[in-house]
Amino acid sequence: MKQLIIASTSTVHGSGYLEYLMPTLIEFFKESKEILFIPYARPGGISYDAYTDIAKKAFGKAGISVKGIHEFDNPQKAVKEAKGIFTGGGNTFELVNQLYQHNLIEVLQQTLENGTPYLGTSAGSNICGVTMMNTNDMPIVYPPSFNTLAMIPFNINAHYLDPNPDSTHMGETRETRIKEFHVFNKTSVLGLREGSWLEVVGEEILLKGPHTARLFRQDKTPVELTTESTIRNFLA
Amino acid sequence: MKQLIIASTSTVHGSGYLEYLMPTLIEFFKESKEILFIPYARPGGISYDAYTDIAKKAFGKAGISVKGIHEFDNPQKAVKEAKGIFTGGGNTFELVNQLYQHNLIEVLQQTLENGTPYLGTSAGSNICGVTMMNTNDMPIVYPPSFNTLAMIPFNINAHYLDPNPDSTHMGETRETRIKEFHVFNKTSVLGLREGSWLEVVGEEILLKGPHTARLFRQDKTPVELTTESTIRNFLA
């Protein structure tokens, strides 16, 4: 049975890396002892080692050890045998590119379906959706496909931002971009604000954290879901 | 000899569609009489007809007629025979996707090399670069390649935005995204602020408009180019 935490961001303003989530994560990973970290999204182009160290430090305080997937000879085997998995944020295009290069899409799908606890933040959350088509990231590399893990039956827009009524900038708002997406695609999109996360247990998907989340469905008016909502009830 | 106007945006805050550029465009298209409009980027998913009407209205005031590429049976022939070409903004992924679907990449390259005046705004400017990898748009469709027209030897980041020091949002700044791009790619990137444009005549590329532009080169500190700068001098 799937067990996932799908978080909008690793870090909320004014707080340390994963700090706001750590009480939840200690409970979530209580039987994991060691977590496999997937650093492929490389925020700012940071090295896999340096990125893994950040995750090690955050989890170390809670007595949970972390090992980077790049430290294993066989990344597929590392995923299959992991007691817990964490995919960090960064660039979603590069993350998805590396998952395909290492033939990890199917093995991740099977492993998560089998119940290995999985934490995603930002790009690591985007890949839980049907496609990565609602990422905010820049297309700095060309992945072989935009299809992702489809662990949930909709897409994630992480770091969701409301339109700023004072802005004089002519670039599209996040809502406009998602509406454009729905001209070409049917998949629903959940705009997850920073500090919000989804708790997935089997087919149940619960919104957690202090904020509402904005759900966009093709040809329907967007709705705000309150925290503790079961997302499934709104998808039909 | 190439003749291009590569504009950050079609519209600056508080002014009508193309209004700030129209004096320049009247001179630029003075021998064109009719312009071919490429509406493939479809901002907000607007129809080709409705989008073309917006361009028709803006140029109509200046006595220049506009015809959409979708009104022609043979889009390749339409490009080859055009007296002037304008590609409007919207979603760069969908624009590039349609250019590939209609086999227009090479024919556009040849036509622009031969001197047909070309105006791009936003997505229509991104495609003048080597690749579309510095677009700000959402990847709502999967194009067969990120390679674009390479009419200039660098990439464009349209609607360039400086970091907001008051922001509490944890998403990446534009500068961070472009630095990430340079972990994986060598191509220089020009951040063009809204209201700026490039005037390309042959191999000469001049920055125009009221703002400086920010040039990002791999492994170098970004520089601010003043208006009327010749970009080429800074690429070496």
Side-chain angles (χ1 to χ4, degrees), chain A residues 11 13 44 91 94 133 136-144 146 159 161 168-171 177 180 184-185 194, chain B residues 11 13 44 91 94 133 136-144 146 159 161 168-171 177 180 184-185 194:
Chain A
T11 312
H13 184 71
N91 186 282
E94 173 61 4
M133 287 184 173
N136 311 308
D137 296 334
M138 204 172 249
I140 59 176
V141 297
Y142 183 71
F146 286 164
H159 305 277
L161 262 186
T168 60
H169 189 254
M170 304 305 288
R177 293 168 193 273
E180 267 183 16
F184 302 96
N185 302 278
E194 292 181 343
Chain B
T11 313
H13 184 70
N91 185 281
E94 174 60 5
M133 288 185 172
N136 311 307
D137 296 335
M138 204 172 250
I140 58 176
V141 297
Y142 184 72
F146 286 165
H159 305 277
L161 260 186
T168 60
H169 189 254
M170 304 305 289
R177 293 167 194 274
E180 268 182 16
F184 301 96
N185 303 276
E194 292 180 344

Side-chain angles (χ1 to χ4, degrees), chain A residues 9 11-15 40-46 89-91 93-94 98 122 132-146 157-161 167-172 174 176-185 194, chain B residues 9 11-15 40-46 89-91 93-94 98 122 132-146 157-161 167-172 174 176-185 194:
Chain A
T9 185
T11 312
V12 294
H13 184 71
S15 144
Y40 293 151
R42 300 179 68 182
I46 189 174
N91 186 282
F93 291 87
E94 173 61 4
Q98 291 301 326
S122 192
M132 55 161 285
M133 287 184 173
N134 301 99
T135 178
N136 311 308
D137 296 334
M138 204 172 249
I140 59 176
V141 297
Y142 183 71
S145 167
F146 286 164
N157 179 252
H159 305 277
Y160 184 74
L161 262 186
S167 175
T168 60
H169 189 254
M170 304 305 288
E172 294 88 352
R174 202 63 67 78
T176 303
R177 293 168 193 273
I178 297 171
K179 282 185 181 163
E180 267 183 16
F181 168 78
H182 277 141
V183 173
F184 302 96
N185 302 278
E194 292 181 343
Chain B
T9 184
T11 313
V12 294
H13 184 70
S15 144
Y40 293 150
R42 299 179 68 182
I46 190 173
N91 185 281
F93 292 87
E94 174 60 5
Q98 291 302 325
S122 193
M132 55 162 284
M133 288 185 172
N134 300 99
T135 178
N136 311 307
D137 296 335
M138 204 172 250
I140 58 176
V141 297
Y142 184 72
S145 167
F146 286 165
N157 179 252
H159 305 277
Y160 183 75
L161 260 186
S167 175
T168 60
H169 189 254
M170 304 305 289
E172 295 88 352
R174 202 62 68 77
T176 304
R177 293 167 194 274
I178 297 171
K179 282 185 181 164
E180 268 182 16
F181 168 79
H182 277 141
V183 174
F184 301 96
N185 303 276
E194 292 180 344

Side-chain angles (χ1 to χ4, degrees), chain B residues 94-161:
Chain B
E94 174 60 5
L95 169 58
V96 170
N97 193 40
Q98 291 302 325
L99 292 179
Y100 278 101
Q101 300 309 327
H102 291 95
N103 285 310
L104 287 173
I105 297 285
E106 263 184 57
V107 77
L108 269 169
Q109 286 172 322
Q110 285 159 8
T111 304
L112 302 196
E113 287 286 357
N114 289 343
T116 303
Y118 175 91
L119 165 66
T121 60
S122 193
S125 293
N126 288 337
I127 61 169
C128 294
V130 179
T131 71
M132 55 162 284
M133 288 185 172
N134 300 99
T135 178
N136 311 307
D137 296 335
M138 204 172 250
I140 58 176
V141 297
Y142 184 72
S145 167
F146 286 165
N147 292 336
T148 46
L149 302 178
M151 287 295 108
I152 50 176
F154 52 90
N155 283 355
I156 295 290
N157 179 252
H159 305 277
Y160 183 75
L161 260 186

